[in-house]
Amino acid sequence: MPTLILVRHGRSTANTEGLLAGWTPGVALDGRGAEQAAALPGRLAELPLAEIVTSPLQRCQETIRPLLRARPELTHHTDERIGECHYGDWSGRKLAELKDEPLMEVVQAHPSAAAFPGGESMRAMQTRAAEAVREWNARVERDHGADAVYLMCSHGDIIKSLVADALGLHLDLFQRISVEPCSITAIRYTRLRPFLVRLGDTGNFTSLVPREEPPGDEAQVGGGAGAP
C-alpha cells in the first residue's frame, strides 16, 4: 500500500493572532507561512509524488501552491474530509478566551467525548479523515502501484488524529502528539498495519529551544503557531 506524506499548512494569520480558525473564510498564510510554503518543493524534491490532495481551506491551498508550480505534472485534488475540524461557535474566537470554557478541559483530557457547540465532535473529525485516507490509499495504489507516495496537506488536529489512528492510539491520547506548521509526517501503510516513519519533521530544532515562557502542559487546539 502507498506511503502518505502529511503536510500541515504553513503558519497562518490565525496562528499568530491566537485564534481558533476552523472553517472561518479568509485565513491566509502570514509572511513566515509563505516562506515555509516556498521551501516545501526543495524539502520534497527527492520524493516521486504520485498525487496531491488538499483541504479546501485557503491556508492549505496556499501552502501547496509553490509545490504545484514546481511540479506542474502533478494532479491536484481537494477533499473536504481532510478539512479542519468544524469548531462551530468556537470558530474565530481567541484561544486565550476559550481556556476558561468547561468544554476545553474535555477537549484536553477526554477528546473522544468532546463535541463543539454548533460544530462536530472530535470523533467525527477523526472518522471522516481516516475514511478519506483509506479511500485515497486504495485509489493511489490502483492508479500508481503499491509503492506509490502521495501527499495530503491538512491541519494540526486532523494530522494528529490520523497519527493516532495509524498507531492504534485511542483518540483520548491524540493531544500528546504535536505537529508544527509546515511540518512533514509520513505514514507507510501495509496490508497488516501502518508504520509511522516521520512525525512533525520541520528540518530544524528551533522548537526545542527553551523559551522564556514554557509552553505549559495543555495541547494547542488547532495545532498552534510553532516555534517563535
Side-chain angles (χ1 to χ4, degrees), residues 41-156:
R43 294 171 64 198
L44 299 171
E46 296 183 13
L47 289 181
L49 298 175
E51 305 267 0
I52 291 181
V53 187
T54 66
S55 156
L57 294 174
Q58 180 178 338
R59 51 198 182 274
C60 287
Q61 300 285 335
E62 290 180 352
T63 297
I64 221 67
R65 196 169 294 153
L67 182 60
L68 291 171
R69 282 200 295 263
R71 301 202 199 183
E73 75 283 0
L74 285 175
T75 304
H76 174 216
H77 311 272
T78 297
D79 193 326
E80 290 195 357
R81 294 174 297 176
I82 62 167
E84 181 62 285
C85 185
H86 291 275
Y87 296 117
D89 298 344
W90 280 24
S91 299
R93 292 182 60 186
K94 284 192 172 294
L95 287 162
E97 298 172 358
L98 293 170
K99 287 179 66 175
D100 297 327
E101 294 280 353
L103 177 60
M104 182 59 86
E105 186 177 7
V106 182
V107 170
Q108 291 290 329
H110 191 19
S112 65
F116 296 97
E120 70 179 333
S121 69
M122 302 199 91
R123 292 191 317 279
M125 173 200 73
Q126 183 186 43
T127 297
R128 63 173 164 85
E131 287 178 350
V133 166
R134 285 166 173 77
E135 289 181 20
W136 278 104
N137 281 350
R139 177 171 172 174
V140 169
E141 181 173 4
R142 181 197 68 203
D143 295 344
H144 303 281
D147 295 328
V149 179
Y150 75 107
L151 182 148
M152 282 185 169
C153 184
S154 188
H155 307 265

Side-chain angles (χ1 to χ4, degrees), residues 10-13 15-16 28-36 62:
R11 196 174 75 176
S12 72
T13 53
N15 293 147
T16 48
L29 299 183
D30 67 5
R32 181 172 178 182
E35 292 174 358
Q36 292 169 332
E62 290 180 352

